[in-house]
C-alpha cells in the first residue's frame, strides 16, 4: 500500500523538492548577505543596548538604531515580496496535494479497484493521508526553519515579530498553516469529488480562514496593553521592544481620544497650529499594543487553532468517505 501511494505521489514530491531547491538557491545567498549586512551595521548590539522595555528615554542610541534599521531596509526591502510568496506557499500544498488526494481517485474511479483488493476504506485513507501528511510535515518544518532564518534580519530591523507578515512566516505557525491547508484540500475532495472544484474550495476556504483569524482573532488572543506618555517628557516607545502597536492617538487631559492615528511632540515657540495646541493643555500620546514577549505564546495559540482545525477536517473527511460510492 505504501509503495502504491509513493508511486502515485512521487512526481508531486519530486516537483516540490525541486521548487524548494530553487527557493533555497535564492534564499541562501540573499539570507547570508542580509545577515552579513546586519552584523556589519552593528544592529544586533545596538538593539541589545536598548533592552526590551516598552518605553525608554529618547537618546542618540535610539536614533542611531532606527537609522541603521532604515539602511538595511533600504538595501533589502525588496525581499518583502519574496516573504509574501512564503505566505502563499501553504495554500499551494492544499490546492495541489490535498484536493486531488481523494477527488482524483473518485473522479477517475480508481478508488473502487483499491477497495476491492482487501483494503478497507479506512485503511486506504489512513495510509494515504498519513504518508502524504508525514511528507508535508517534514517539508514544512524545513521550510519554516529556513524562512525564519532568512527573514530574521529584516524583522529585527523593523517593528518586530508580532506584526503582520513577520508573524506569518516566523516560528512554528507556517507548519500549522500547511497542515491545515492539506486537510482542507482533502476534505474538499471528499465533499465535491471533482478535482477542480475541490482545488477552488481549498483556495478560497484557506484564504477566508487565514484572514479571519489574523484580523479578528489574533489581536484578541490576550487583552492588549496601553500606555500614555507626555510629548515633552523625553520618553519614546522602544523600537527594540518588538511590541505590536495596534492603535495610536492623542488624548486630552480628560482622557478623550481627540487625535486618532497621530502622535505629537514638543511645539516650537510661537507655533499656534501645533497639534499639541489643538489637543489642549495636558494632552498625552497614547498607544495600544501587544507586548513583544508574547510572540511564542501567540505562536502556540495560533498553531493550536490550525492544528485542531486540521484534525477536525481529517475526521470529517474520513466520515465522508463512507458515503463515496
Amino acid at each position: 500500500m505504501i509503495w502504491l501511494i509513493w508511486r502515485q505521489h512521487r512526481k508531486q514530491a519530486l516537483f516540490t523538492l525541486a521548487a524548494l531547491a530553487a527557493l533555497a538557491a535564492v534564499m541562501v545567498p540573499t539570507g547570508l548577505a542580509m545577515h552579513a549586512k546586519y552584523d556589519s551595521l552593528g544592529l544586533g548590539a545596538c538593539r541589545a543596548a536598548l533592552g526590551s522595555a516598552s518605553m525608554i528615554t529618547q537618546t542618540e542610541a535610539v536614533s542611531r538604531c532606527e537609522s541603521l534599521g532604515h539602511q538595511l531596509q533600504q538595501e533589502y526591502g525588496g525581499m518583502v515580496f519574496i516573504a509574501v510568496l512564503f505566505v502563499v506557499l501553504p495554500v499551494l500544498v492544499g490546492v495541489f496535494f490535498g484536493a486531488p488526494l481523494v477527488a482524483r481517485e473518485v473522479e477517475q474511479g480508481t478508488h473502487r479497484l483499491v477497495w476491492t483488493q482487501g483494503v478497507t476504506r479506512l485503511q486506504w485513507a489512513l495510509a494515504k493521508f498519513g504518508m502524504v501528511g508525514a511528507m508535508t510535515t517534514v517539508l514544512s518544518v524545513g521550510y519554516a526553519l529556513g524562512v525564519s532564518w532568512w527573514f530574521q534580519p529584516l524583522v529585527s530591523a523593523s517593528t518586530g515579530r508580532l506584526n503582520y507578515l513577520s508573524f506569518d512566516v516566523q516560528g512554528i505557525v507556517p507548519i500549522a498553516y500547511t497542515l491545515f491547508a492539506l486537510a482542507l484540500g482533502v476534505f474538499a475532495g471528499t465533499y465535491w469529488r471533482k478535482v477542480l472544484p475541490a482545488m477552488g474550495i481549498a483556495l478560497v476556504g484557506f484564504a477566508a480562514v487565514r484572514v479571519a483569524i489574523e484580523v479578528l482573532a489574533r489581536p484578541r488572543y490576550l487583552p492588549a496593553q496601553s500606555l500614555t506618555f507626555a510629548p515633552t517628557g523625553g520618553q519614546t516607545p522602544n523600537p527594540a521592544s518588538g511590541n505590536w502597536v495596534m492603535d495610536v492617538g492623542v488624548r486630552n487631559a480628560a482622557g478623550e481620544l481627540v487625535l486618532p492615528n497621530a502622535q505629537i511632540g514638543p511645539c516650537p515657540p510661537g507655533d499656534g497650529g501645533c497639534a499639541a495646541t489643538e489637543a489642549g493643555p495636558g494632552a498625552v500620546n497614547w498607544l495600544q499594543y501587544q507586548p513583544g514577549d508574547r510572540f511564542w505564546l501567540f505562536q502556540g495559540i495560533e498553531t493550536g487553532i490550525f492544528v485542531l482545525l486540521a484534525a477536525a477536517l481529517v475526521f470529517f473527511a474520513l466520515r465522508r468517505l463512507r458515503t463515496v460510492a
Side-chain angles (χ1 to χ4, degrees):
M1 188 67 187
I2 293 176
W3 178 84
L4 176 61
I5 295 170
W6 167 247
R7 293 273 297 181
Q8 287 180 310
H9 299 285
R10 61 183 178 180
K11 286 186 178 180
Q12 288 174 305
L14 293 174
F15 284 141
T16 302
L17 287 173
L20 290 177
L23 283 175
V26 175
M27 289 172 59
V28 171
T30 56
L32 289 173
M34 286 192 293
H35 278 268
K37 185 68 174 181
Y38 182 87
D39 293 336
S40 67
L41 289 173
L43 256 171
C46 187
R47 296 180 73 85
L50 296 181
S52 58
S54 295
M55 297 293 297
I56 56 174
T57 303
Q58 178 71 45
T59 62
E60 290 185 6
V62 175
S63 300
R64 179 173 175 271
C65 281
E66 291 180 334
S67 175
L68 293 175
H70 185 63
Q71 288 182 44
L72 184 68
Q73 289 177 322
Q74 274 192 320
E75 187 166 348
Y76 293 103
M79 296 296 106
V80 173
F81 295 105
I82 299 179
V84 173
L85 172 63
F86 293 136
V87 174
V88 176
L89 280 181
V91 71
L92 299 182
V93 173
V95 170
F96 294 105
F97 273 64
L101 200 63
V102 175
R104 179 172 288 127
E105 298 269 9
V106 176
E107 189 174 23
Q108 297 176 351
T110 54
H111 63 295
R112 297 189 184 94
L113 175 63
V114 177
W115 294 346
T116 57
Q117 302 299 314
V119 177
T120 67
R121 299 182 185 211
L122 182 61
Q123 290 174 327
W124 175 82
L126 290 178
K128 205 170 182 67
F129 297 175
M131 186 168 179
V132 174
M135 289 191 300
T136 300
T137 302
V138 171
L139 292 174
S140 64
V141 168
Y143 142 76
L145 291 173
V147 175
S148 293
W149 167 81
W150 176 81
F151 206 43
Q152 185 271 329
L154 283 177
V155 172
S156 296
S158 62
T159 51
R161 297 184 295 175
L162 274 173
N163 287 272
Y164 296 121
L165 182 62
S166 298
F167 185 91
D168 300 331
V169 298
Q170 295 269 294
I172 56 177
V173 291
I175 304 170
Y177 297 155
T178 306
L179 293 177
F180 168 71
L182 179 67
L184 180 60
V186 170
F187 174 74
T190 62
Y191 196 88
W192 279 270
R193 304 179 188 179
K194 289 186 179 296
V195 174
L196 288 180
M199 293 171 76
I201 293 299
L203 177 62
V204 173
F206 180 86
V209 173
R210 280 279 285 109
V211 170
I213 290 181
E214 182 165 333
V215 174
L216 302 177
R218 188 186 299 167
R220 297 173 176 81
Y221 288 159
L222 289 175
Q225 297 183 6
S226 62
L227 58 83
T228 58
F229 55 99
T232 57
Q235 291 285 301
T236 185
N238 185 359
S241 65
N243 293 340
W244 176 18
V245 178
M246 303 163 63
D247 199 6
V248 298
V250 178
R251 294 185 179 273
N252 61 20
E256 300 171 336
L257 185 64
V258 292
L259 293 174
N261 302 316
Q263 297 277 268
I264 56 175
C267 288
D271 186 357
C274 178
T277 305
E278 296 176 12
V284 293
N285 290 320
W286 165 85
L287 59 87
Q288 188 178 52
Y289 68 99
Q290 293 285 357
D293 58 11
R294 291 179 175 177
F295 173 77
W296 284 111
L297 179 58
F298 276 37
Q299 284 268 318
I301 293 171
E302 192 150 318
T303 297
I305 290 172
F306 278 95
V307 168
L308 287 175
L309 288 174
L313 287 167
V314 170
F315 172 77
F316 288 118
L318 291 173
R319 289 178 62 88
R320 289 287 304 176
L321 279 178
R322 299 176 184 177
T323 65
V324 176

